[in-house]
Amino acid sequence: MGKILFPTDGSKTAERARKFAVNIAKATNSEIIVLVVVPTPSTLSGFQPAVAGRFEDELKERMLEIAKVARKKILDEDIKADFKVAVGAPSEEIVKLADKEKADAIVMGTHGVTGLARVFIGSVADRVVRKAHCPIILVPEKDFS
Ligand SMILES: Nc1ncnc2c1ncn2[C@@H]1O[C@H](COP(=O)(O)OP(=O)(O)OP(=O)(O)O)[C@@H](O)[C@H]1O
Ligand SMILES: [Mg+2]
């Protein structure tokens, strides 16, 4: 059985990537691991620890929900699915988990929630492409047509 890593930030593009991951999983008899990374932005360091802590907790809660919802949608397609939550730099955590789980491929979006559509690909996608050791499938926001 193959293993596909699907990192998501809950964005529309990531949702498109999920659908593609499901199609590959069906065709290749693979399972999907959903990964959300709660970013630890340096901008939070300007806040008092208590405030930054509360902000991080809220973010973690939201990301956890994103992971659970994505996993459920995948399970509804009769694909085996698990989810993981990591804290840190998204690209590093994605590459680390792909290595640890010996993922056959990473399926993710070209863009996410924060980015500008005019950049070629988002910074997380860019770093994963540079650092990962397995094949990566980047799913675009829009159809090519
Ligand atoms: N925090 C995260 N946890 C898990 N996966 C993520 C996370 N952030 C992004 N991704 C994955 O990376 C893909 C590309 O998102 P990315 O963050 O690179 O683009 P962006 O948000 O448009 O730009 P940027 O973050 O550089 O401003 C998303 O579709 C999603 O699959
Ligand atoms: Mg982003």
Side-chain angles (χ1 to χ4, degrees):
M1 190 179 218
K3 221 184 245 186
I4 295 165
L5 180 60
F6 165 57
T8 181
D9 58 357
S11 62
K12 250 169 73 181
T13 318
E15 279 294 279
R16 283 174 57 89
R18 174 178 56 74
K19 287 172 193 161
F20 194 75
V22 163
N23 288 342
I24 300 175
K26 281 182 181 168
T28 60
N29 186 33
S30 297
E31 63 176 300
I32 297 177
I33 302 171
V34 179
L35 170 64
V36 293
V37 184
V38 185
T40 43
S42 50
T43 48
L44 287 182
S45 62
F47 290 92
Q48 286 176 354
V51 177
R54 215 175 321 134
F55 187 83
E56 266 188 56
D57 287 348
E58 264 173 42
L59 194 59
K60 195 166 185 174
E61 219 34 63
R62 280 216 302 275
M63 297 296 284
L64 180 64
E65 194 56 30
I66 286 168
K68 285 181 180 168
V69 169
R71 177 176 183 253
K72 180 164 186 312
K73 286 180 179 167
I74 296 166
L75 287 173
D76 287 347
E77 300 268 358
D78 283 328
I79 300 293
K80 194 179 166 203
D82 201 355
F83 75 85
K84 309 264 182 199
V85 180
V87 178
S91 63
E92 284 172 25
E93 296 302 318
I94 291 166
V95 172
K96 228 193 278 176
L97 191 69
D99 285 345
K100 189 175 166 216
E101 294 284 341
K102 296 189 171 60
D104 295 289
I106 299 169
V107 179
M108 61 194 292
T110 52
H111 295 82
V113 275
T114 56
L116 305 165
R118 64 185 156 77
V119 299
F120 176 47
I121 56 173
S123 61
V124 176
D126 181 85
R127 291 194 181 102
V128 171
V129 167
R130 288 172 205 272
K131 293 184 200 156
H133 307 112
C134 68
I136 302 141
I137 297 168
L138 291 181
V139 178
E141 295 178 274
K142 292 187 183 116
D143 291 325
F144 282 115
S145 56

